[in-house]
Amino acid sequence: MTEDGTGLLTIGELARVTGLTVRTIRYWSDEGALPPVARSTGGYRLYDAASVARLELIRTLRELGLGLADVRRVLAGERTVAEVAAAHVAALDARIRSLKVTRAVLSTVARRGSSAEEMTLMNKLARLSAAERRRIMEEFVEEMFHGLDTADPEIRERMRHTAMDLPEDPTPEQVDAWVELAELVRDPEFRTQMRRAAEFNAADRGHETPAGASMWFVKRLVQLAGQALERGLAPEAPEADEVLDDLLGNADHAAVLARLEASHNTRLARYRELLATLKGTSAPTYETEFAWVIAALRARVSKPNT
């Protein structure tokens, strides 16, 4: 039934037509999203057929999660539905990522039985923005290589572009890894260890040394030490001299030992493992091979006359 045969609808009639409550329609009307087209002699708001269509659009936009401010902009022609939808998709994506991080943090807390303090720190670190996570790594790398112009540029670039971000849908293990990694790279002792390793790398190179030469040495070490391990060769055995000669040539054993001990330790191995966990990959640390070479060098450095 329409008001006085005019074809206009009261809020009650509009509610019956659309299935919405009178309270909801009145609220949207009060907020300016559904202005009445006229008033009855009694002062009641009246709406026409276009109002019904407008109301259906409002309902759809609201069900999709848009706020009334965006709804009013669409209805006023200030923004298109597509523009508002695109912006809302971006907002939803951000919200979904946040919820995934929340889920991962809570799963980690439940699994580890974390204290309130640990949970607070974990949540704070996990929620750092991607830009903030990049800044942490950039500052870490800059401190490591500052002033070391001869350090291997390939190592420098690899570290600078190392992923320090959480995945879109992080697992509890990846949240754990990110929190531990963020704490590790900000630890002064670890930063000192890494700086010392970078200084040794720079000291071993000249400006004419090809980029990536340091990586070649690592590959050669892993190959030769791996073969020695397969043969069951003990690091202190006389036959290990040949392996060291193939690897180091005439290099001073004590100097090489100092460099290996500085750049290959359990904390650095853990650093690599954490990065691999964040990337969802497995990264061999070759700790067994490095340990064999270090043990072989120690055996010989402790016996300088042999």
Side-chain angles (χ1 to χ4, degrees):
M1 177 178 178
T2 61
E3 177 73 14
D4 299 331
T6 62
L8 299 179
L9 302 171
T10 64
I11 284 183
E13 291 165 339
L14 196 57
R16 285 193 291 273
V17 169
T18 61
L20 291 164
T21 66
V22 169
R23 181 177 180 180
T24 296
I25 297 173
R26 182 178 292 113
Y27 172 69
W28 289 349
S29 183
D30 289 343
E31 292 296 314
L34 186 69
V37 298
R39 292 274 181 173
S40 70
T41 54
Y44 294 106
R45 286 174 276 202
L46 300 175
Y47 303 89
D48 59 10
S51 299
V52 176
R54 185 182 181 96
L55 188 56
E56 290 293 348
L57 176 58
I58 295 170
R59 171 160 58 182
T60 299
L61 294 174
R62 292 290 288 157
E63 287 176 348
L64 290 173
L66 272 67
L68 277 176
D70 278 329
V71 171
R72 285 195 297 268
R73 293 188 188 100
V74 171
L75 294 172
E78 296 173 6
R79 300 186 71 184
T80 66
V81 172
E83 289 171 341
V84 172
H88 199 57
V89 166
L92 283 174
D93 285 343
R95 178 60 177 158
I96 289 169
R97 285 193 295 271
S98 177
L99 287 172
K100 287 178 177 178
V101 170
T102 298
R103 182 188 64 188
V105 168
L106 290 174
S107 296
T108 300
V109 169
R111 178 168 53 83
R112 290 172 51 173
S114 301
S115 66
E117 291 78 9
E118 289 174 325
M119 181 179 67
T120 299
L121 174 63
M122 191 181 307
N123 189 51
K124 180 180 178 181
L125 291 174
R127 290 188 181 283
L128 289 175
S129 69
E132 289 169 323
R133 286 191 276 268
R134 283 194 301 271
R135 178 181 53 77
I136 289 174
M137 175 52 77
E138 287 168 359
E139 290 177 352
F140 173 59
V141 175
E142 175 59 28
E143 181 177 322
M144 273 188 62
F145 292 102
H146 181 70
L148 303 178
D149 295 337
T150 58
D152 195 324
E154 183 170 325
I155 293 178
R156 187 195 304 260
E157 287 306 303
R158 283 193 179 198
M159 292 199 65
R160 182 173 286 120
H161 294 98
T162 295
M164 281 277 290
D165 207 355
L166 281 167
E168 287 282 327
D169 188 6
T171 65
E173 290 75 21
Q174 286 170 322
V175 171
D176 261 349
W178 160 245
V179 172
E180 186 177 343
L181 189 61
E183 293 174 315
L184 184 61
V185 300
R186 293 192 291 188
D187 178 8
E189 183 180 344
F190 180 69
R191 292 171 87 103
T192 299
Q193 288 178 338
M194 294 295 282
R195 171 68 181 185
R196 185 169 178 234
E199 288 171 345
F200 277 136
N201 180 264
D204 289 338
R205 293 171 44 83
H207 288 287
E208 71 285 354
T209 306
S214 302
M215 302 303 298
W216 178 88
F217 172 76
V218 170
K219 292 177 182 177
R220 182 68 172 158
L221 182 151
V222 169
Q223 177 189 18
L224 293 176
Q227 292 170 353
L229 286 164
E230 288 178 0
R231 290 160 49 196
L233 184 60
E236 61 277 4
E239 294 83 0
D241 288 338
E242 182 179 346
V243 179
L244 293 179
D245 288 343
D246 286 347
L247 176 64
L248 305 176
N250 296 323
D252 180 76
H253 285 184
V256 174
L257 176 60
R259 283 154 172 73
L260 289 179
E261 288 178 330
S263 57
H264 297 279
N265 50 66
T266 56
R267 299 192 83 195
L268 180 57
R270 183 58 179 160
Y271 170 81
R272 295 195 188 102
E273 290 172 352
L274 294 171
L275 288 175
T277 300
L278 277 178
K279 295 177 182 178
T281 61
S282 59
T285 61
Y286 301 118
E287 286 307 296
T288 304
E289 290 84 355
F290 275 99
W292 189 93
V293 172
I294 289 172
L297 288 170
R298 283 174 178 164
R300 283 145 186 85
V301 168
S302 64
K303 300 176 182 178
N305 295 324
T306 60

